[in-house]
Amino acid sequence: MTGTQQRDTPDVPRPESLADLLGGRRGAVDATLPPVAFTAGWLLADRSVTAGVVAALAVGAAVAGWRLRRGDRPRSVLIGLLAVCVAAIVVARTGRAEDFFLLQLLANAASALVWAVSIVVRWPLLGVVVGAALGQRGRWRRDRALLRAYARGSWVWTATYVLRVLVFLPLYLGGQVVALTAARVGLTWPLVAAALAVSWAVVRRSLPAGHPGLRHPSEGPIATPGG
């Protein structure tokens, strides 16, 4: 029994791998530590934007170095560090501490739009990401049931970006730097974890009984935006 279980284990899809692709725990470190460092430096230095920027850049560089030593992909590490640098440049130019979070606000608004459009054109991003993780490329789109399930699951991810915008925007307009930091932390990994669980549940419930599963999409004509 034990030997059979050990042989079968590699064939079971693991949500952890998908969590990494969609911004898992390591991505959450990138997303939360620099903003926390910025706000801490800003407060400790009597609301000095310069001190906040220095603290954020120092922590961002430290996180990047730590991730590289752990063997993370250099491209993803550099993207995370670049985001911190851009946020630092923006706030250094404007002198307004809340502008450190402007890039995050705009990125979430853009992400909500991209995810929604991907569903409308029948290339739901959840299917794109899962298909890439499973080495399926576009084969999953030949399975209409799977395509429909991924579209429904993608709405869950669209909702997470919309939620962030709805929370971040009034805080940003009100200059609530500490509240923005708390929202950034609370709406990063916890929200991603919830979205993973809910979207997988939606996908599974959307598939008809007897469907072979995500790893075995059925063959058929490729779906088109008007089909």
Side-chain angles (χ1 to χ4, degrees):
M1 177 67 70
T2 303
T4 302
Q5 291 176 342
Q6 290 176 346
R7 287 194 299 271
D8 291 342
T9 299
D11 294 330
V12 178
R14 296 187 305 167
E16 296 88 339
S17 298
L18 185 58
D20 290 338
L21 290 172
L22 296 178
R25 292 180 178 86
R26 294 182 185 179
V29 171
D30 283 342
T32 57
L33 284 184
V36 169
F38 171 82
T39 302
W42 177 70
L43 289 173
L44 292 174
D46 195 22
R47 298 180 181 249
S48 168
V49 166
T50 301
V53 166
V54 170
L57 291 175
V59 170
V63 169
W66 172 70
R67 290 192 61 188
L68 286 173
R69 285 194 297 270
R70 287 178 61 93
D72 285 11
R73 296 176 181 176
R75 183 175 64 177
S76 65
V77 173
L78 291 177
I79 289 174
L81 182 58
L82 178 62
V84 176
C85 292
V86 172
I89 291 172
V90 171
V91 73
R93 290 181 65 87
T94 66
R96 303 190 329 151
E98 60 267 28
D99 283 343
F100 188 85
F101 302 88
L102 179 59
L103 179 62
Q104 179 74 8
L105 174 60
L106 296 177
N108 277 281
S111 296
L113 179 61
V114 170
W115 276 80
V117 170
S118 78
I119 300 167
V120 173
V121 300
R122 299 175 67 83
W123 272 94
L125 282 180
L126 185 60
V128 173
V129 174
V130 176
L134 299 178
Q136 296 172 345
R137 297 185 180 180
R139 287 191 297 111
W140 55 273
R141 295 189 70 244
R142 297 179 182 273
D143 186 332
R144 292 186 180 275
L146 193 54
L147 178 63
R148 181 172 58 251
Y150 281 141
R152 293 174 178 174
S154 291
W155 280 120
V156 175
W157 289 93
T158 305
T160 65
Y161 294 110
V162 172
L163 174 61
R164 290 191 184 110
V165 172
L166 292 176
V167 173
F168 290 155
L169 184 58
L171 295 178
Y172 171 78
L173 294 177
Q176 302 295 317
V177 178
V178 175
L180 278 167
T181 306
R184 180 75 178 269
V185 173
L187 296 179
T188 304
W189 171 245
L191 186 59
V192 169
L196 279 168
V198 174
S199 62
W200 276 123
V202 169
V203 168
R204 287 196 301 267
R205 288 177 178 270
S206 298
L207 293 176
H211 190 276
L214 305 186
R215 289 179 175 268
H216 305 285
S218 62
E219 295 294 328
I222 295 178
T224 59

